[in-house]
Amino acid sequence: MAIGKYMVIASRDPFESRDVDQLYDLAAGIVREGNEVTVFLVQNGVLPARFGARSEGLTKLSARGVKVLADEFSLRERAIGGDQLVSGVTPSPLDVIVDHLAAGGKALWH
Amino acid sequence: MATTITFALMDPPYESARSTTAFRLIDIAARRGYNVNVFAYEGAVATPFAQQKAHPNAVHGRDAAQENHPLPKDWVAALMQAAAQNGGKLDWVNCGLCVDERGVAEVIEGVRRGTPGDLWRMASESQGTLIIGTR
């Protein structure tokens, strides 16, 4: 069976929305089924990328094989520098979402 | 074959960062010369509403020109122009029922009225589709 390529776009702040944890679980589950998953953090979704109380979830996701990217613009808007990011999170331009869609990948906005 | 991607937008203008992100995504695709479909439903049908007007800011003592208030309808027009200049097209369809409910039938040139069936057709003809719903 062909490997599926998925992008999960996380725009919500986990301090405000409890269902962000469920989104991370979904991403990990898709990888566990043998697919490739990128979690793309955008808007307030980038807040847990800064080392802090809710950043552990992203570090675990990365360790489970999920690629975790954070929108460079959203990071700049919130004054989160690259040296403040937790391990496993990579700054990225928004273009990768368009790349993914143009290549026929599936994308889920949350 | 030309690359075509589709976005479905639900948020009304001036309300959410989701609209800004959607505009950024459409802009990237338009500048690449992709064909971009947008299906706007619920509050998003007001985004290309032609009667949006810039206003002064009395608190800060600025007139309308000084205030230079951004209008989403102008951004939609600019995105259509960017797509055309790069060899693509931005096809913006407003959900007709959503338009009638809100009384925003008067839209800028290039925006057309449709149904959820248009979203199905757009998605069927696209390499990728992203639904950006309101929470």
Side-chain angles (χ1 to χ4, degrees), chain B residues 104-115:
Chain B
V104 291
E106 192 176 345
V107 291
I108 63 168
E109 186 178 346
V111 172
R112 60 192 181 89
R113 179 185 175 96
T115 73

Side-chain angles (χ1 to χ4, degrees), chain A residues 32-92:
Chain A
R32 203 163 45 241
E33 295 293 323
N35 302 289
E36 293 179 8
V37 181
T38 298
V39 168
F40 192 95
L41 310 172
V42 69
Q43 300 167 197
N44 281 344
V46 303
L47 291 175
R50 179 178 51 194
F51 183 78
R54 296 301 301 270
S55 55
E56 186 182 2
L58 291 175
T59 304
K60 283 182 179 175
L61 263 188
S62 178
R64 289 173 181 167
V66 176
K67 188 176 184 180
V68 183
L69 304 177
D71 176 38
E72 292 169 338
F73 182 77
S74 301
L75 290 169
R76 282 203 310 274
E77 280 185 316
R78 292 157 181 82
I80 301 174
D83 58 345
Q84 296 174 283
L85 298 180
V86 294
S87 172
V89 178
T90 306
S92 169

Side-chain angles (χ1 to χ4, degrees), chain B residues 29-47:
Chain B
R31 290 178 192 280
R32 290 183 184 187
Y34 292 172
N35 292 322
V36 183
N37 297 320
V38 172
F39 182 78
Y41 65 112
E42 303 293 356
V45 297
T47 307

Side-chain angles (χ1 to χ4, degrees), chain A residues 5-41:
Chain A
K5 295 186 177 181
Y6 296 84
M7 180 167 284
V8 176
I9 303 165
S11 68
R12 299 183 188 178
D13 170 8
F15 293 95
E16 182 183 22
S17 301
R18 286 293 303 157
D19 52 3
V20 172
D21 289 339
Q22 293 168 322
L23 187 74
Y24 293 172
D25 287 343
L26 174 66
I30 298 172
V31 164
R32 203 163 45 241
E33 295 293 323
N35 302 289
E36 293 179 8
V37 181
T38 298
V39 168
F40 192 95
L41 310 172

Side-chain angles (χ1 to χ4, degrees), chain B residues 64-132:
Chain B
Q66 290 169 325
E67 182 71 1
N68 194 21
H69 197 271
L71 299 176
K73 66 169 183 174
D74 294 337
W75 293 338
V76 173
L79 290 169
M80 287 178 172
Q81 189 175 19
Q85 285 174 343
N86 289 282
K89 182 183 180 186
L90 170 56
D91 185 17
W92 186 294
V93 174
N94 265 353
C95 162
L97 293 179
C98 311
V99 166
D100 292 344
E101 287 170 343
R102 292 162 177 79
V104 291
E106 192 176 345
V107 291
I108 63 168
E109 186 178 346
V111 172
R112 60 192 181 89
R113 179 185 175 96
T115 73
D118 286 289
L119 174 58
W120 177 84
R121 179 188 55 76
M122 289 169 162
S124 300
E125 297 170 353
S126 296
Q127 275 77 28
T129 296
L130 180 62
I131 310 291
I132 304 178

Side-chain angles (χ1 to χ4, degrees), chain B residues 11-41:
Chain B
D11 284 293
Y14 298 113
E15 295 288 340
S16 169
R18 286 183 291 271
S19 302
T20 307
T21 304
F23 277 133
R24 291 174 62 207
L25 289 167
I26 295 166
D27 181 64
I28 292 166
R31 290 178 192 280
R32 290 183 184 187
Y34 292 172
N35 292 322
V36 183
N37 297 320
V38 172
F39 182 78
Y41 65 112

